[in-house]
């Protein structure tokens, strides 16, 4: 496979830009002492698959981050597994719940999430994979949203406490 080469300062055509594999779609700062953040204009016809990275900031409680597509509050299915830093394994999940598990919030030490979404803009089921950790364990989670609707945005929330600061970055994968 031959890859294109580019020069510094070169203005790229749309076709040349399509050669870029991962593209920053949007960056949004999290406010002060909020329990959720609505991100609009994140998904479009430009990409089928997305990566969401949440980093920085602080939280008032150690909690999970959750992700909800648009205003949809039902139809989320996920399973997760994890292990404590002491080596004890655990599993969990949820059936037809209100959101995906998406990451973790540390008391005073930041927010973190790494989420992959497939099909959020397409009128199909959306599939999600995420990882999260806190000061006692680390988990991975996979699931789907069983509502075949097109979404342009999402909401990130915490299961308890509030978030202050940090950044939500949304990247699109080249089709």
């Amino acid at each position: 496979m031959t890859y294109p080469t580019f020069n510094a300062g070169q203005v790229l055509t749309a076709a040349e830009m399509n050669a870029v594999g991962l593209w920053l779609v949007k960056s949004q700062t999290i406010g002060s002492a909020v329990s959720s953040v609505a991100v609009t204009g994140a998904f479009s016809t430009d990409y089928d698959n997305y990566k969401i990275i949440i980093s920085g900031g602080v939280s008032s409680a150690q909690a999970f981050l959750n992700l909800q597509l648009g205003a949809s509050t039902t139809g989320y299915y996920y399973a997760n597994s994890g292990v404590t830093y002491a080596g004890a394994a655990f599993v969990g999940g949820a059936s037809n719940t209100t959101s995906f598990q998406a990451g973790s919030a540390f008391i005073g030490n930041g927010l973190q999430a790494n989420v992959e979404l497939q099909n959020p803009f397409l009128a199909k089921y959306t599939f999600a994979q995420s990882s999260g950790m806190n000061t006692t364990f680390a988990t991975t989670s996979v699931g789907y949203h069983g509502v075949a609707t097109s979404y342009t945005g999402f909401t990130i929330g915490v299961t308890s406490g509030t978030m202050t600061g940090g950044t939500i970055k949304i990247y699109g994968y080249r089709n």
Side-chain angles (χ1 to χ4, degrees):
M1 172 173 250
T2 303
Y3 294 98
T5 57
F6 304 110
N7 299 316
Q10 177 181 352
V11 177
L12 303 178
T13 67
E16 290 167 332
M17 287 304 300
N18 195 33
V20 177
L22 192 61
W23 192 256
L24 179 63
V25 173
K26 184 170 188 170
S27 181
Q28 184 163 329
T29 302
I30 298 169
S32 181
V34 297
S35 60
S36 65
V37 178
V39 179
T40 60
F43 313 131
S44 70
T45 59
D46 293 337
Y47 307 98
D48 295 340
N49 305 301
Y50 294 84
K51 176 182 268 302
I52 300 167
I53 297 177
I54 302 170
S55 60
V58 295
S59 65
S60 66
Q62 188 155 291
F64 286 110
L65 296 176
N66 53 41
L67 186 147
Q68 194 173 70
L69 297 167
S72 184
T73 58
T74 188
Y76 297 88
Y77 298 80
Y78 68 86
N80 57 24
S81 63
V83 64
T84 68
Y85 297 123
F90 61 91
V91 296
S95 178
N96 199 22
T97 189
T98 60
S99 62
F100 290 123
Q101 182 177 314
S104 297
F106 294 88
I107 299 173
N109 288 310
L111 310 168
Q112 69 78 33
N114 183 7
V115 182
E116 304 276 339
L117 291 178
Q118 291 81 41
N119 305 329
F121 186 76
L122 302 176
K124 298 180 175 184
Y125 286 7
T126 298
F127 300 96
Q129 304 83 38
S130 67
S131 60
M133 64 190 85
N134 64 27
T135 56
T136 57
F137 62 83
T139 66
T140 59
S141 182
V142 296
Y144 71 97
H145 183 234
V147 178
T149 299
S150 174
Y151 300 98
T152 58
F154 62 94
T155 299
I156 292 289
V158 287
T159 54
S160 66
T162 61
M163 306 174 280
T164 297
T167 306
I168 302 168
K169 293 193 179 207
I170 302 94
Y171 298 88
Y173 284 102
R174 180 181 144 222
N175 282 339

